[in-house]
């Protein structure tokens, strides 16, 4: 029997323990010895839990037990998750995690420690919850030159934008609803300001290039400025507004753009139909062409399923390292101001002539859709820096949203 420990008995951690029990036959079909959670580390007591006898409060109990071969870290945050993960890897104990913040900050370092100590550091659940994407990028897509990744990587914001589009609910009201349903935290800033999605696209971008894309270097914009007027325009144009993480690489041109921002997605694109709390990752390979991974990007059992799949891989490779190509060398990103993009823009009607002068070739967007006192238009493809300079010369810009190409 492979003995494991779970650090953190919250939503995901409890899901891991329960899943291993519920699906023990499935686990045993792949891990012939079977797998059992021997310890659960948490500061709290759980007197009503059937797993209460496994709860310990001292990490050293786990670390010093020679039976423990795999540790599942679902604590969240950087500390003490980083310290515990590092100490375990240094002892040759494989670690699996759902902790995107830790992976984005210390992923390559922990991967190197794992390799030095003949164990593994896996993090399938850190991006996309239950959606398999890390493992496919490391195996199935390994022969490909991946040139583009576009992801709906945050279920909270996708739920909010879906409700705004389908039910005409204001941003403030739908945020309150998301909090009531447990989709959004009491402090929702990480979700609605795009930081959660930004960390996830940083991880995927790092795996895409094999170097470290720091999320602090990524241009990041959230959805808090999106209004129902924007949603109505998008709908009239056959588009839907989605918060996207986008990574685009052109080796010939020597460019690598990464961005998190709301985009108007056309109905022709597969990501257009991804609604509610679902996530999706769209990948383009130079020879494979397009593939998309779709499913529940969060939740107790979807995320736990991804964690347990990593635990099983580690159990099958004890004493060996499952290699993931990600070096601790900073990847220099291209200047986002040079990226060519189309924009949807709303300005006061009094600025129409000025807007047409500054953006020659612009096309009025969905005439009659918006208020009478404004002019909405779509620019021709323009460098983002040039767009920013021109738009700054308008007296007021009520909205400016990027357009995802067909």
């Amino acid at each position: 029997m492979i003995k494991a420990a779970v650090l953190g008995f919250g939503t995901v951690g409890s899901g891991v323990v329960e899943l291993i029990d519920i699906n023990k036959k499935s686990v045993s079909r792949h891990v012939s010895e079977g797998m059992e959670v021997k310890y659960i580390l948490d500061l709290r007591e759980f007197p009503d839990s059937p797993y209460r006898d496994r709860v310990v409060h001292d990490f050293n109990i786990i670390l010093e037990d020679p039976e423990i071969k795999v540790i599942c870290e679902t604590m969240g945050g950087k500390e003490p998750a980083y310290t515990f993960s590092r100490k375990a890897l240094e002892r040759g104990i494989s670690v699996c995690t759902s902790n995107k913040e830790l992976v984005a900050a210390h992923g390559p370092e922990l991967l190197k420690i794992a390799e030095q100590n003949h164990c593994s550091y896996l993090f399938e659940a850190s991006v996309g919850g239950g959606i398999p994407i890390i493992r496919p990028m490391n195996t199935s897509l390994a022969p490909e030159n991946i040139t583009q990744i576009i992801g709906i990587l945050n279920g909270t914001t996708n739920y909010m934008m879906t409700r705004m589009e389908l039910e005409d609910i204001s941003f403030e009201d739908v945020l309150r609803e998301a909090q009531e349903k447990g989709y959004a935290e009491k402090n929702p800033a990480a979700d609605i300001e795009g930081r959660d999605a930004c960390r996830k696209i940083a991880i995927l971008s790092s795996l895409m290039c094999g170097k470290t894309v720091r999320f602090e270097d990524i241009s990041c914009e959230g959805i808090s400025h999106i209004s129902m007027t924007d949603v109505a325009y998008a709908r009239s144009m056959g588009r839907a507004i989605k918060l996207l993480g986008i990574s685009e690489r052109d080796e010939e041109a020597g460019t690598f753009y990464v961005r998190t921002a709301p985009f108007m997605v056309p109905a022709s694109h597969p990501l257009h139909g991804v609604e509610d709390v679902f996530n999706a990752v769209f990948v383009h390979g130079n020879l494979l062409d397009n593939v998309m991974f779709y499913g529940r990007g969060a939740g107790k059992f979807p995320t736990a399923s991804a964690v347990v799949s990593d635990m099983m891989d580690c159990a099958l490779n004890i004493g060996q390292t499952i290699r993931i190509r990600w070096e601790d060398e900073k990847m220099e990103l291209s200047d986002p101001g040079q990226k060519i993009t189309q924009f949807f823009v709303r300005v006061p009607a009094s600025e129409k002539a000025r807007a047409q002068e500054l953006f020659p070739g612009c096309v009025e967007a969905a005439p009659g859709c918006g208020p009478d006192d404004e002019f909405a238009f779509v620019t021709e493809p323009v460098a983002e820096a040039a767009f920013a300079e021109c738009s700054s010369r308008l007296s007021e810009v009520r909205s400016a949203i990027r357009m995802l190409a067909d």
Side-chain angles (χ1 to χ4, degrees), residues 354-403:
R354 181 65 169 156
Q356 290 173 325
E357 175 189 341
L358 290 166
F359 298 99
C362 70
V363 177
E364 186 172 2
C369 173
D372 294 335
D373 68 340
E374 74 177 24
F375 172 60
F377 62 95
V378 176
T379 69
E380 289 191 318
V382 59
E384 298 217 3
F387 173 80
E389 196 278 328
C390 289
S391 60
S392 70
R393 292 159 64 184
L394 294 164
S395 64
E396 179 188 351
V397 176
R398 294 178 177 174
S399 184
I401 303 173
R402 294 167 181 83
M403 308 279 283

Side-chain angles (χ1 to χ4, degrees), residues 217-232:
D217 296 337
I218 298 174
S219 178
C220 181
E221 178 186 323
I223 65 166
S224 56
H225 64 286
I226 301 296
S227 70
M228 279 308 305
T229 303
D230 296 320
V231 172

Side-chain angles (χ1 to χ4, degrees), residues 94-134:
S94 291
V95 176
C96 309
T97 184
S98 60
N99 189 339
K100 58 188 170 290
E101 185 177 358
L102 178 60
V103 175
H106 296 287
E109 174 193 352
L110 295 173
L111 284 168
K112 186 174 182 180
I113 294 172
E115 185 172 357
Q116 290 170 342
N117 293 278
H118 311 292
C119 57
S120 299
Y121 184 64
L122 302 182
F123 42 90
E124 181 65 71
S126 67
V127 177
I131 303 172
I133 181 61
I134 305 295

Side-chain angles (χ1 to χ4, degrees), residues 59-60 63 82-93:
F59 177 65
N60 288 317
L63 198 63
Y82 165 72
T83 298
F84 290 171
S85 297
R86 178 176 51 77
K87 286 183 176 181
L89 294 170
E90 288 171 345
R91 292 286 186 99
I93 303 170

Side-chain angles (χ1 to χ4, degrees), residues 158-284:
N158 203 48
Y159 169 82
M160 292 173 64
M161 295 312 307
T162 299
R163 293 284 287 157
M164 289 174 71
E165 179 189 0
L166 300 181
E167 304 293 337
D168 290 332
I169 301 174
S170 71
F171 179 89
E172 293 75 17
D173 288 342
V174 79
L175 174 57
R176 190 178 308 110
E177 180 183 285
Q179 289 172 319
E180 290 170 355
K181 290 191 173 186
Y183 296 152
E185 302 289 341
K186 184 175 181 180
N187 179 359
D191 292 324
I192 65 174
E193 298 305 335
R195 294 195 292 274
D196 176 81
C198 190
R199 285 189 170 90
K200 294 173 180 177
I201 196 62
I203 294 169
L204 292 178
S205 299
S206 297
L207 298 176
M208 179 178 175
C209 68
K211 299 180 182 179
T212 297
V213 175
R214 302 187 334 138
F215 80 93
E216 297 93 340
D217 296 337
I218 298 174
S219 178
C220 181
E221 178 186 323
I223 65 166
S224 56
H225 64 286
I226 301 296
S227 70
M228 279 308 305
T229 303
D230 296 320
V231 172
Y233 270 112
R235 189 165 50 214
S236 294
M237 292 187 288
R239 291 176 176 257
I241 301 174
K242 306 285 187 182
L243 180 67
L244 302 180
I246 296 184
S247 184
E248 295 178 316
R249 177 175 59 169
D250 186 332
E251 288 188 331
E252 288 188 10
T255 58
F256 196 156
Y257 293 103
V258 187
R259 177 183 294 283
T260 301
F263 282 75
M264 287 191 174
V265 180
S268 59
H269 199 285
L271 290 172
H272 180 277
V274 179
E275 299 180 340
D276 206 67
V277 295
F278 284 83
N279 284 192
V281 182
F282 179 89
V283 180
H284 179 82

